[in-house]
């Protein structure tokens, strides 16, 4: 099977980013969300992102128009009936993802691959609730999707070699560099990255240095393009805390204990860029 039509569930940051990557690569995309306002906001975000690429001479106006023409939107899952792969890009919530996957099974064609863009939830557990678990897989894109080259392809215990091969080929078609990982909490990148961010909050809580100095130290000392605290603000402190809670629960290891300062800031609603205040004020 050649993947010729991509369905995406969720028009938020990750969903519209994946839709843009597919459309720029020449693939027709159907992007579905719960309201017209949500999908139109997603399309507007894609258009703005393409405009920035034009300004950087990485895209032409004709390329932008062609890409946008490949993106159709809907609030009805029935619009996904002809898609060869359905990529779920909803919020990082197990029960919500299960609900969506169950709904998708009612419209997806028998040959369709189901994929989840999760950063921490077990692919094996998600696959266990679908009718064709061998056609289920994880595709973890990184934010911002149009610019980040990596895709983690996560095989559940049930994922077939054929499904993996199709998804790996799709990732390469999108101009991405995929790595294949076994199913485990956090997979590879976030398993290393989020505990590092959590440790940065411990360093901050102990007043070892200011936020600016902590971030500058990691940028200059480890050649990171952005410091861990600024990155936490970009990701969302609530997302970082949620991931750490998954690790702490799944591994039952104290090294994954969420920093009390991180928990306190999330409780205060200081979630980062999206709320205008996190470690830094925006």
């Amino acid at each position: 099977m050649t993947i010729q039509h991509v369905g995406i569930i969720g028009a938020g940051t990750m969903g519209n980013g994946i839709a843009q990557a597919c459309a720029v690569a020449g693939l027709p995309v159907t992007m579905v969300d719960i309201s017209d306002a949500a999908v139109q906001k997603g399309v507007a975000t894609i258009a703005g992102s393409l405009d920035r690429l034009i300004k950087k001479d990485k895209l032409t106006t004709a390329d932008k128009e062609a890409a946008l023409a490949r993106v159709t939107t809907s609030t009805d899952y029935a619009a996904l009936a002809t898609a060869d792969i359905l990529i779920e890009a909803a919020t990082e919530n197990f029960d919500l993802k299960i609900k969506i996957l169950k709904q998708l099974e009612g419209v997806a064609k028998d040959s369709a691959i189901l994929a989840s863009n999760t950063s921490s939830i077990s692919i094996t557990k998600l696959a266990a609730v679908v009718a064709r678990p061998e056609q289920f897989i994880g595709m973890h894109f990184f934010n911002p999707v149009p610019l980040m080259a990596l895709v983690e392809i996560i095989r559940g215990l049930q994922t077939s070699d054929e499904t993996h091969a199709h998804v790996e080929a799709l990732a390469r078609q999108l101009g991405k560099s995929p790595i294949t990982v076994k199913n485990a909490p956090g997979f590879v990148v976030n398993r290393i990255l989020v505990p590092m961010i959590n440790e940065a909050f411990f360093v901050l809580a102990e007043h070892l240095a200011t936020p600016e100095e902590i971030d500058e130290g990691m940028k200059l000392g480890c050649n990171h393009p952005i410091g861990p605290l600024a990155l936490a603000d970009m990701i969302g402190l609530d997302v970082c805390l949620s991931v750490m809670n998954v690790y702490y629960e799944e591994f039952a290891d104290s090294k994954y204990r969420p920093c009390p300062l991180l928990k306190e800031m999330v409780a205060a609603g200081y979630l980062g860029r999206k709320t205008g205040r996190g470690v830094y004020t925006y």
Side-chain angles (χ1 to χ4, degrees):
M1 177 187 75
T2 302
I3 293 175
Q4 297 178 323
H5 178 197
V6 179
I8 297 168
I9 302 84
T13 301
M14 298 307 293
N16 68 58
I18 297 166
Q20 178 180 327
C22 292
V24 169
L27 287 166
V29 182
T30 302
M31 185 169 64
V32 173
D33 212 316
I34 56 174
S35 69
D36 281 324
V39 292
Q40 292 311 316
K41 183 179 178 182
V43 171
T45 301
I46 294 171
S49 176
L50 294 173
D51 283 336
R52 288 191 292 276
L53 291 174
I54 290 171
K55 287 180 181 177
K56 294 177 182 177
D57 293 324
K58 293 184 177 180
L59 215 64
T60 66
T61 302
D63 291 333
K64 173 193 170 183
E65 292 172 357
L68 286 174
R70 295 186 191 105
V71 180
T72 57
T73 62
S74 181
T75 57
D76 187 353
Y77 282 3
L80 302 168
T82 60
D84 299 306
I85 183 169
L86 304 174
I87 303 173
E88 169 273 310
T91 306
E92 199 73 348
N93 178 289
F94 180 77
D95 292 332
L96 175 62
K97 289 182 184 294
I98 292 297
K99 180 182 177 183
I100 290 170
L101 293 174
K102 289 287 190 185
Q103 290 175 309
L104 290 177
E105 285 199 303
V107 299
K109 60 185 182 181
D110 289 349
S111 61
I113 293 169
L114 293 183
S116 177
N117 175 59
T118 177
S119 59
S120 63
I121 296 172
S122 168
I123 296 302
T124 296
K125 282 177 70 175
L126 291 174
V129 305
V130 301
R132 292 179 287 275
E134 70 281 358
Q135 291 167 221
F136 190 83
I137 199 164
M139 282 190 89
H140 179 208
F141 290 83
F142 288 76
N143 187 26
V145 177
L147 302 180
M148 297 294 279
L150 181 66
V151 177
E152 283 183 320
I153 299 176
I154 306 100
R155 297 189 65 150
L157 200 59
Q158 311 94 318
T159 306
S160 71
D161 291 341
E162 183 181 13
T163 296
H164 172 263
H166 288 314
V167 169
E168 186 176 52
L170 172 63
R172 295 191 190 283
Q173 186 177 351
L174 301 183
K176 304 302 183 185
S177 298
I179 62 171
T180 298
V181 305
K182 292 180 180 178
N183 183 65
F187 317 129
V188 170
V189 174
N190 281 347
R191 170 81 173 272
I192 298 167
L193 177 66
V194 183
M196 182 195 74
I197 290 172
N198 190 56
E199 194 63 27
F201 276 92
F202 275 113
V203 169
L204 180 62
E206 293 167 22
H207 304 292
L208 299 185
T210 65
E212 291 83 1
E213 288 170 327
I214 293 166
D215 279 346
E216 196 72 359
M218 292 304 290
K219 285 162 65 180
L220 298 178
C222 298
N223 205 28
H224 290 187
I226 184 172
L229 298 173
L231 181 59
D233 277 355
M234 186 180 294
I235 294 169
L237 271 60
D238 53 334
V239 175
C240 294
L241 177 58
S242 174
V243 172
M244 286 307 298
N245 281 329
V246 168
Y247 296 169
Y248 192 43
E249 181 181 336
E250 292 288 333
F251 290 114
D253 189 328
S254 62
K255 74 178 181 180
Y256 297 112
R257 176 173 68 97
C259 177
L261 176 60
L262 176 60
K263 294 167 72 173
E264 188 80 355
M265 292 181 72
V266 170
Y270 301 161
L271 307 184
R273 287 177 181 264
K274 60 188 172 186
T275 59
R277 181 172 178 180
V279 178
Y280 300 100
T281 301
Y282 300 90

